[in-house]
Amino acid sequence: MPADSRTWLRWPLMLIMTAMLCACGFHLRASANLPFKSLFMTFAPNSPLGIELKRNILASGNTQVLPTAEGAEAILEVLGETQEKVILTTNSSGRASEYMLYYRLTFRVTDAEKKELLPATLITLKRDISYNSSQELSKGAEEVLLYRDMRSDMVQQVLRRLAALKTAQPTQPEQSTAAPAAAPATAVPAK
C-alpha cells in the first residue's frame, strides 16, 4: 500500500476515534470553579492534603486561599483527617497477607457569618494491598504511593463538593399576609 493512501486512511480513523471519545463522555478535568472569591482552610500548615488542595484551588485562578479567617467568604473547617491500615486476610500461619488502607476526611464549610453552607461531611477512601514479608521494602513503597493516590482523589472530591455549593440561599415562595377568601355561604333548603 502506498504511503499516501495510508495517510489518507489515518484522518478518518482519527475522526472516528475522536467522535467515540466524545460520545462516551470523556472530557479533560477542568479546574475548580468555586462559588466564592476567598477561602480559609483549617488544615495544619504542613498537611500534605491541605497543601495539595490549596495548590488546586489557586490553580483555578478565581479563588484566593487566605491565611486567616478574617475577610474570607467561606471557611473550610477540618473536623478530622485519618489514615488507617486494617488486616483484611491472613495466611495459614496467621500472618497478614492483605491489608485495607483507609483515608478519611471530615469537614464542614461555613460562611463569614458562621452560617453552615455544607454540614459535616465524611469522605472515606479505601484501597487494598497485598503483603509479602519477602518484599517488605517494595510493599512499603506501594503503600506510600496508594496513600498519595488517595490524597489526590480526596482533593478532587473536596473540590467537587465545594464547587457544588451555592452561597445564595434558595428563594422561599412569598406567603400572602391576607387571609384566604372565605367561600360564600350557601343556604340549604329545609325539608
Side-chain angles (χ1 to χ4, degrees):
M1 187 177 259
D4 289 337
S5 62
R6 275 189 256 146
T7 305
W8 179 252
L9 291 175
R10 285 185 191 158
W11 286 105
L13 183 60
M14 287 182 9
L15 287 173
I16 290 170
M17 294 296 288
T18 303
M20 288 174 61
L21 280 175
C22 292
C24 77
F26 173 81
H27 57 49
L28 294 174
R29 184 182 300 167
S31 63
N33 188 14
L34 303 182
F36 28 82
K37 299 288 182 215
S38 58
L39 175 71
F40 170 68
M41 301 186 297
T42 63
F43 284 101
N46 58 353
S47 165
L49 179 63
I51 293 168
E52 190 171 340
L53 183 59
K54 179 179 178 179
R55 186 175 60 237
N56 277 270
I57 291 171
L58 292 175
S60 72
N62 63 346
T63 302
Q64 292 181 327
V65 179
L66 301 180
T68 64
E70 191 173 320
E73 286 183 29
I75 299 166
L76 187 147
E77 183 181 350
V78 177
L79 303 174
E81 179 184 359
T82 58
Q83 293 181 357
E84 185 180 7
K85 183 177 179 180
V86 177
I87 296 174
L88 196 58
T89 58
T90 57
N91 60 18
S92 60
S93 61
R95 292 187 177 152
S97 61
E98 194 173 13
Y99 288 98
M100 182 66 74
L101 304 177
Y102 289 95
Y103 190 26
R104 294 182 181 95
L105 176 69
T106 306
F107 67 100
R108 70 181 187 147
V109 180
T110 59
D111 64 7
E113 289 84 37
K114 302 292 183 199
K115 187 169 61 173
E116 203 168 60
L117 300 175
L118 181 66
T121 302
L122 170 66
I123 300 174
T124 301
L125 301 176
K126 58 185 177 179
R127 305 281 193 277
D128 60 331
I129 181 173
S130 61
Y131 179 75
N132 187 341
S133 60
S134 65
Q135 300 173 340
E136 184 89 31
L137 291 176
S138 65
K139 289 300 176 177
E142 183 182 358
E143 182 178 329
V144 169
L145 288 174
L146 285 172
Y147 274 123
R148 186 180 304 157
D149 177 57
M150 285 192 284
R151 187 171 51 244
S152 295
D153 191 14
M154 184 73 73
V155 165
Q156 294 307 313
Q157 291 201 30
V158 170
L159 285 173
R160 281 193 294 272
R161 283 168 174 79
L162 291 176
L165 290 177
K166 302 294 181 208
T167 54
Q169 295 298 315
T171 56
Q172 298 292 328
E174 289 186 27
Q175 303 235 346
S176 174
T177 56
T186 56
V188 179
K191 292 191 179 183

